[in-house]
Amino acid sequence: MIYLHALSAVLVSTFLGFLFLQLLDRERKLGVMEGLGLSYGLGMGVIAIIMTFLALAGIHFNIFNILAPFILMIALAGIFNKIFPMSRKEHLTGKPERMKMSKLELFFLGAVIFEIAFVFFVSLIKPMESWDAVGHWGAKAKTIYFLKGLPLDLFSRPCIEYTVITADYPWLWPFSQDYIYNFIGFFDDFASKILGPFFFASCLVVFYNILRRVKLKRLYALIFTFFLASIPHFNNFASNGYADLILGYYYCVSFLYLYLWFRNNDRIYLFLSIIFTAMTCYVKCEALLLTLISVLTFLSFVLCSKSENRGSAFKAFIFYIFMVVLLSLPMFLLKHFTSANITNQAVSIKLFSEFRLQNLFRISPIIYAYQKQLFGVKYWNLTGVLFLISAFLAYRRKILFNKEFRFLTIAIGLIFLAHISFFMISKDVRQYLAPLSRMFLHFLPLVVFFIAIIFQHEETRGKQS
């Protein structure tokens, strides 16, 4: 019965997210399954933003205060669409034709469904029990549930001040758990764990649909979706209550729709990228670095645009930055007020002043840690090996920086460069290399997507030759 109540909470937030998405997608570019995958993350993200405003205003958290603004927002968007209607043209660009599935396609679809079902099973048979899930995220969700809100002086209170770590972390994951507790009317450590598998499933649904939008055959799209779903470290983090897979979902959705906008210039892709980029900032501190990388990649798109298109691309770039800042600003304000001048040492900009030339000798442990991950079949299956092969093939074919691949190459390259730079300036390189495997989760779908489109290019090239 507890799980049914928790499922009802998820269905309500997803339904509201779906309504909001339908109002946003006025040209009907998105399919139903793709829309559902986006609606889950969109619904939880909007709820987190609403709860952020409630916390800043000092208003108690309850199910009415959480959902009423969401419903009002949808109503206002509906009124806006009625006042300013658009011509209802059906755009078939990027939508794959529907054909009966082959036996092989059905096999891989069944394999993906099995992976999702297994993640749900593993997640729901035990409560929050992993260290960060309990100490960082679950404790915060439990605290704000029993306090009926989030007091801005929470981490300044004597009983809490010296017991809570990562007090400056954004609040989307604890807020999502608290939403479940408010919906079912009581605290239950099992109920909130249902959220993780839904993020996992939504990530796979959106990933598959984006592969289809870049013209990957259905069989190959299913194979690469299964490949992503079966990566042990990826599906383990869908069930343990950590926020890293959630950050990976929001960031990769935001970047891949930006990548689609680079290719097709469809307005809905830019809107989705803006919304999900802003929501990424509500998940973890590392999202700020990932957002900066998206901004730099967008800037490279502007600079690489043809001279006649550069003006409109630059306007879209300014709009992108303005809207992301506007939507993420409440998170920065709440982070500032609640953290009470507590900063996360791991991402502090002050570390740059502590860089010394001898830090360059850290390259050996850094390379060792990276090769351990890239060739770590136990965690990643063959992802690292296939990524290196794909990058080598792209380099040999001289397509690594062509129009189709350049922005993925820039984004993934900047992520690796940023991480290595951070390890170079950190106080204790071995300590900060320890969570490297979790940092890889933040952009893992991007890496698998890169492998998939290189495979697509090689297959097309083989047929032409």
Side-chain angles (χ1 to χ4, degrees):
M1 188 59 69
I2 293 170
Y3 292 139
L4 287 177
H5 290 159
L7 180 61
S8 299
V10 170
L11 291 176
V12 168
S13 63
T14 303
F15 176 69
L16 293 175
F18 187 77
L19 290 179
F20 185 76
L21 186 65
Q22 291 301 300
L23 293 169
L24 190 68
D25 182 24
R26 301 173 75 183
E27 296 178 348
R28 297 297 179 261
K29 296 273 185 176
L30 306 174
V32 175
M33 289 304 297
E34 184 179 12
L36 288 174
L38 291 167
S39 298
Y40 173 72
L42 183 63
M44 298 311 304
V46 172
I47 283 173
I49 295 173
I50 290 169
M51 294 176 79
T52 299
F53 277 106
L54 294 178
L56 289 170
I59 298 173
H60 283 179
F61 295 167
N62 57 53
I63 202 62
F64 175 81
N65 289 342
I66 293 169
L67 292 182
F70 202 166
I71 295 169
L72 178 62
M73 187 188 312
I74 292 170
L76 292 174
I79 293 170
F80 178 85
N81 279 4
K82 287 290 184 183
I83 296 174
F84 303 101
M86 288 187 67
S87 58
R88 296 291 297 275
K89 294 179 181 178
E90 291 295 329
H91 296 264
L92 300 178
T93 305
K95 289 188 178 181
E97 56 181 300
R98 296 176 183 273
M99 295 174 62
K100 188 177 179 180
M101 280 191 168
S102 67
K103 291 181 179 179
L104 195 56
E105 288 171 340
L106 287 171
F107 170 79
F108 280 104
L109 176 61
V112 172
I113 293 172
F114 173 79
E115 290 288 351
I116 294 171
F118 183 74
V119 164
F120 271 96
F121 171 75
V122 172
S123 178
L124 300 181
I125 60 174
K126 53 187 176 181
M128 296 280 184
E129 42 86 30
S130 298
W131 170 253
D132 279 9
V134 175
H136 293 189
W137 310 110
K140 293 173 186 175
K142 184 177 181 180
T143 301
I144 59 180
Y145 173 71
F146 285 113
L147 289 177
K148 306 269 185 218
L150 176 57
L152 299 182
D153 65 343
L154 178 66
F155 298 125
S156 301
R157 298 183 178 190
C159 60
I160 296 177
E161 185 176 6
Y162 299 107
T163 59
V164 177
I165 49 180
T166 60
D168 67 321
Y169 264 37
W171 288 90
L172 185 143
W173 188 217
F175 280 167
S176 300
Q177 295 178 51
D178 183 67
Y179 161 70
I180 296 290
Y181 302 147
N182 277 283
F183 194 96
I184 65 179
F186 54 90
F187 170 80
D188 185 273
D189 217 15
F190 286 86
S192 61
K193 284 194 75 182
I194 199 173
L195 295 170
F198 273 109
F199 275 111
F200 176 76
S202 298
C203 185
L204 296 177
V205 169
V206 175
F207 182 78
Y208 167 80
N209 280 278
I210 292 177
L211 287 176
R212 295 290 279 143
R213 286 192 177 278
V214 296
K215 306 298 184 183
L216 206 67
K217 290 180 181 177
R218 184 166 63 188
L219 174 60
Y220 298 144
L222 285 168
I223 290 173
F224 281 104
T225 303
F226 170 68
F227 179 78
L228 176 62
S230 62
I231 294 172
H233 209 51
F234 185 65
N235 57 41
N236 285 345
F237 273 75
S239 60
N240 64 3
Y242 280 50
D244 297 280
L245 182 136
I246 299 167
L247 176 58
Y249 165 79
Y250 280 105
Y251 173 66
C252 291
V253 167
S254 71
F255 185 84
L256 289 175
Y257 278 103
L258 183 63
Y259 173 76
L260 288 179
W261 184 78
F262 291 160
R263 290 171 60 118
N264 299 333
N265 199 31
D266 283 332
R267 193 165 28 182
I268 183 63
Y269 299 150
L270 182 61
F271 290 165
L272 287 172
S273 179
I274 289 169
I275 293 169
F276 278 84
T277 301
M279 289 177 178
T280 301
C281 297
Y282 285 78
V283 184
K284 289 192 76 177
C285 294
E286 291 92 327
L288 303 182
L289 175 63
L290 296 171
T291 300
L292 176 61
I293 287 168
S294 293
V295 170
L296 293 175
T297 307
F298 202 147
L299 180 60
S300 72
F301 169 78
V302 175
L303 297 176
C304 293
S305 298
K306 294 179 181 178
S307 55
E308 61 268 23
N309 299 329
R310 196 166 294 157
S312 59
F314 182 72
K315 289 178 184 176
F317 174 66
I318 297 301
F319 176 71
Y320 175 86
I321 293 177
F322 174 77
M323 291 303 298
V324 168
V325 171
L326 183 66
L327 291 173
S328 59
L329 184 60
M331 180 279 300
F332 286 105
L333 291 174
L334 187 62
K335 176 181 162 73
H336 171 73
F337 288 126
T338 56
S339 62
N341 298 319
I342 299 171
T343 57
N344 191 319
Q345 183 64 33
V347 293
S348 175
I349 200 168
K350 294 177 183 178
L351 289 174
F352 283 97
S353 64
E354 299 175 6
F355 177 76
R356 301 291 182 269
L357 283 177
Q358 56 264 35
N359 287 18
L360 295 174
F361 292 103
R362 296 177 174 184
I363 195 66
S364 295
I366 291 172
I367 290 175
Y368 177 75
Y370 269 86
Q371 67 83 25
K372 209 172 153 187
Q373 296 301 324
L374 290 172
F375 299 103
V377 178
K378 180 181 176 182
Y379 276 1
W380 307 106
N381 291 340
L382 293 174
T383 308
V385 176
L386 291 176
F387 172 69
L388 292 175
I389 293 172
S390 300
F392 177 74
L393 282 173
Y395 173 75
R396 284 291 302 272
R397 309 290 189 222
K398 299 181 179 179
I399 60 172
L400 201 56
F401 289 97
N402 74 357
K403 184 179 179 182
E404 186 177 355
F405 300 97
R406 118 181 5 130
F407 304 112
L408 273 173
T409 303
I410 290 171
I412 294 173
L414 284 175
I415 291 172
F416 278 115
L417 181 62
H419 285 174
I420 292 170
S421 300
F422 161 69
F423 295 134
M424 281 289 188
I425 64 172
S426 59
K427 282 188 174 181
D428 185 344
V429 64
R430 296 188 186 279
Q431 175 189 347
Y432 290 125
L433 279 170
L436 181 61
S437 63
R438 286 193 281 128
M439 294 169 72
F440 273 31
L441 288 172
H442 303 163
F443 64 104
L444 177 65
L446 239 61
V447 171
V448 179
F449 184 81
F450 178 83
I451 296 169
I453 63 170
I454 295 296
F455 169 84
Q456 179 189 35
H457 178 271
E458 287 298 304
E459 191 214 16
T460 304
R461 185 175 179 273
K463 284 184 177 179
Q464 289 174 348
S465 62

